[in-house]
Amino acid sequence: DAKTTQPPSMDCAEGRAANLPCNHSTISGNEYVYWYRQIHSQGPQYIIHGLKNNETNEMASLIITEDRKSSTLILPHATLRDTAVYYCIVRVGSSSNTGKLIFGQGTTLQVKP
Amino acid sequence: GAVVSQHPSWVICKSGTSVKIECRSLDFQATTMFWYRQFPKQSLMLMATSNEGSKATYEQGVEKDKFLINHASLTLSTLTVTSAHPEDSSFYICSASPLTGGTEAFFGQGTRLTVV
């Protein structure tokens, strides 16, 4: 079973920030929080990941609470092309390529004009 | 980011025939690749872990004799759906992580299988 809980759907106005929450209250100390998104009929796309510090890249920012039990993915200026299903996943991260991704139901983000 | 390619992107086959789907890491090597299946309006479900040079590891409830996995090299894994039936119609997706570098997984574009 997935170890994360996300709202099933959210709307966001184009140009505004989209804040997608995720609960992962049973996360272990060596588990990272990963975010992926899936646009209809395509493979998932990696967005960002973090362990305990906040992270930012060209796509998004990841805010992880101090107790690590929840996190928020922030798309600073949502566009129509950001409409997708967003998945929050916890997994063991390592320098090797082990670690399975167990997908939950994700959040369907609808960006509206 | 790293590129994972699947072939074919879509395939239609007759019931009872077998279909092979390829997953290639184009610019990196991977000892482990993962195969997922996704039904309409559902999330991805992990089917199996493909291990280079050894047997695949299947998730509970996935028939290993029906979904044959071969990982012959560090850049190629294949999934063969044997004796396909209409209920096998689905979106099949593979993923891989580079041996070196970051820990994120990269996904193929998926293969839409329709069994008629």
Side-chain angles (χ1 to χ4, degrees):
Chain A
D1 292 337
K3 299 175 66 174
T4 62
T5 304
Q6 300 176 252
S9 64
M10 292 182 64
D11 290 343
C12 177
E14 188 178 18
R16 303 298 293 270
N19 298 290
L20 291 88
C22 178
N23 286 322
H24 30 79
S25 57
T26 61
I27 192 169
S28 300
N30 63 344
E31 289 182 316
Y32 286 68
V33 179
Y34 284 78
W35 283 84
Y36 286 80
R37 71 180 182 184
Q38 186 179 28
I39 297 171
H40 183 62
S41 294
Q42 296 183 25
Q45 176 189 22
Y46 166 79
I47 300 174
I48 199 168
H49 74 280
L51 182 62
K52 54 183 178 180
N53 296 324
N54 297 338
E55 302 288 344
T56 296
N57 62 20
E58 64 278 4
M59 289 184 68
S61 294
L62 174 61
I63 308 297
I64 302 174
T65 58
E66 191 168 343
D67 63 8
R68 303 212 319 126
K69 293 185 176 182
S70 65
S71 61
T72 301
L73 178 73
I74 301 173
L75 307 178
H77 306 286
T79 70
L80 298 179
R81 289 181 295 179
D82 292 322
T83 293
V85 179
Y86 287 77
Y87 295 100
C88 169
I89 302 166
V90 297
R91 60 165 269 193
V92 175
S94 65
S95 58
S96 69
N97 59 7
T98 57
K100 297 184 287 191
L101 293 178
I102 305 301
F103 286 79
Q105 295 307 306
T107 296
T108 299
L109 175 67
Q110 182 73 48
V111 181
K112 298 185 175 181
Chain B
V3 178
V4 174
S5 177
Q6 281 184 243
H7 178 80
S9 297
W10 59 271
V11 57
I12 301 172
C13 72
K14 291 185 177 181
S15 186
T17 62
S18 295
V19 174
K20 180 185 287 188
I21 302 170
E22 294 185 347
C23 177
R24 293 182 184 273
S25 54
L26 297 185
D27 50 2
F28 66 94
Q29 295 181 323
T31 57
T32 306
M33 294 184 177
F34 300 91
W35 287 96
Y36 297 81
R37 178 167 57 180
Q38 186 176 33
F39 292 110
K41 298 189 184 301
Q42 294 186 23
S43 187
L44 284 78
M45 184 193 78
L46 179 67
M47 298 175 66
T49 302
S50 173
N51 303 299
E52 189 268 337
S54 65
K55 292 182 179 180
T57 305
Y58 292 83
E59 296 299 302
Q60 190 173 7
V62 178
E63 300 176 58
K64 62 180 182 180
D65 294 331
K66 181 167 185 63
F67 299 99
L68 302 180
I69 291 173
N70 183 273
H71 195 150
S73 76
L74 290 174
T75 59
L76 173 65
S77 174
T78 61
L79 169 68
T80 301
V81 183
T82 63
S83 186
H85 292 284
E87 57 265 31
D88 298 323
S89 298
S90 188
F91 193 51
Y92 292 86
I93 310 168
C94 70
S95 76
S97 298
L99 281 174
T100 58
T103 61
E104 60 266 34
F106 298 94
F107 287 80
Q109 75 274 30
T111 297
R112 175 76 57 191
L113 170 64
T114 303
V115 184
V116 298

